Amino acid sequence: MKKLMFTVFGLLVALFAFAACSGNNSDRQELHMATSADFPPFEFVNDNSEYDGFDVHMARAIADILDMDLVIHNMEFIPSIASTELGNTDITVAALSVTEDRRQQVNFSIPYFETTLVIIVQQDSLINSVEDLDVEGNVVAVQMGTTSDTMATWYLDNVEIMRHVSAPMTVLELNASRVDAIVVDAGVANQFIADNPSLRIVDEALGIEEYAIGVYRNNPELLEQINNALQQLKDNGELDRIYNMFFGGDQ
């Protein structure tokens, strides 16, 4: 009987200790991140149904530096920015290009990635330049609300623009020959080409842009913390290590 009582007592002590440890972990502040996990290799859902990608790993590294728990909220691209603008999430990390219009919605961190906007066509397409594409009768697919959408609207005066809520849907349209080209970020374009060898990237780019983290405008302290953490990841080589995981080589 004494042995049984001792065992029960020991079990209670162990459970108490576990609860205490769990309580300490739950005391960590949460960092709520909005993203649109349909933009590989920056953010996507992997085969294990886990959030993955360059942006996701970077955000987790930032949260670790800040001693915070990262909580990911997956949604469409345009609502992801609005969620941080309204304070429903702390940050938006979604291959978010810095634009003046978006500066009215969120504060931007220091840039962490530079990319170009490129044109993807089918291998046998006669389109080899922006001029070839910008012809009446051509149809271009873009992801709605992105800088690909904005740049295509600005620079392609004669084409019809077909807008979709996700980048992969634009590839489906091109593979089905319902559009003549798509405009997308270079990093994503390379992934699309790897998955669809019947497509190619046109040599002439449409523009250059920088990605940054969108931060809730009423939290300047968090913006400073994010910037310091990002700079630390750049200085200690961790950002390059994450880059190599998804792109290979140095930025």
Side-chain angles (χ1 to χ4, degrees):
M1 185 68 177
K2 289 183 179 180
K3 184 176 181 180
L4 177 59
M5 291 179 62
F6 179 81
T7 302
V8 172
F9 178 77
L11 180 60
L12 290 173
V13 170
L15 288 173
F16 180 81
F18 177 79
C21 290
S22 300
N24 288 337
N25 288 336
S26 64
D27 285 343
R28 277 173 46 129
Q29 188 176 350
E30 292 180 338
L31 181 65
H32 289 265
M33 164 183 147
T35 194
S36 183
D38 56 6
F39 206 61
F42 289 95
E43 39 268 328
F44 59 95
V45 178
N46 64 24
D47 293 338
N48 296 320
S49 300
E50 299 168 336
Y51 293 117
D52 204 345
F54 177 87
D55 281 348
V56 174
H57 281 253
M58 179 190 68
R60 285 176 178 149
I62 289 172
D64 285 342
I65 290 174
L66 301 182
D67 194 30
M68 301 174 76
D69 290 326
L70 184 69
V71 180
I72 297 176
H73 303 267
N74 186 26
M75 58 192 78
E76 291 179 3
F77 180 74
I78 295 176
S80 74
I81 305 171
S83 71
T84 298
E85 178 184 14
L86 296 173
N88 295 329
T89 51
D90 303 304
I91 58 176
T92 298
V93 189
L96 187 61
S97 304
V98 179
T99 69
E100 289 307 312
D101 285 344
R102 290 174 185 166
R103 287 187 188 279
Q104 306 306 311
Q105 298 177 273
V106 295
N107 285 331
F108 276 111
S109 70
I110 59 176
Y112 66 84
F113 199 97
E114 183 175 281
T115 188
T116 55
L117 290 175
V118 298
I119 300 163
I120 299 180
V121 296
Q122 294 187 3
Q123 284 283 3
D124 59 357
S125 173
L126 298 178
I127 296 171
N128 294 298
S129 66
V130 175
E131 184 178 2
D132 290 343
L133 176 60
D134 193 19
V135 175
E136 189 172 348
N138 281 343
V139 182
V140 177
V142 297
Q143 184 179 11
M144 184 188 307
T146 64
T147 49
S148 298
D149 185 355
T150 302
M151 296 290 271
T153 303
W154 281 352
Y155 290 108
L156 302 175
D157 297 324
N158 300 301
V159 303
E160 177 186 346
I161 297 178
M162 182 183 293
R163 296 175 173 87
H164 289 280
V165 296
S166 72
M169 290 178 67
T170 66
V171 179
L172 294 177
E173 295 289 350
L174 183 57
N175 279 329
S177 299
R178 287 190 287 265
V179 299
D180 300 283
I182 64 176
V183 176
V184 72
D185 299 358
V188 177
N190 291 328
Q191 182 68 54
F192 287 163
I193 295 298
D195 295 337
N196 301 270
S198 63
L199 307 180
R200 64 178 172 87
I201 299 174
V202 173
D203 288 339
E204 185 180 355
L206 196 62
I208 300 175
E209 57 188 8
E210 290 182 320
Y211 295 162
I213 296 172
V215 183
Y216 181 48
R217 294 186 73 184
N218 290 345
N219 196 343
E221 181 181 355
L222 178 61
L223 176 63
E224 182 179 2
Q225 292 172 331
I226 294 288
N227 281 337
N228 290 338
L230 258 177
Q231 192 61 54
Q232 182 175 327
L233 293 178
K234 290 182 178 185
D235 293 343
N236 65 16
E238 180 65 11
L239 197 61
D240 283 336
R241 188 190 70 79
I242 297 172
Y243 179 91
N244 290 336
M245 289 173 60
F246 296 97
F247 300 98
D250 296 327
Q251 289 195 66

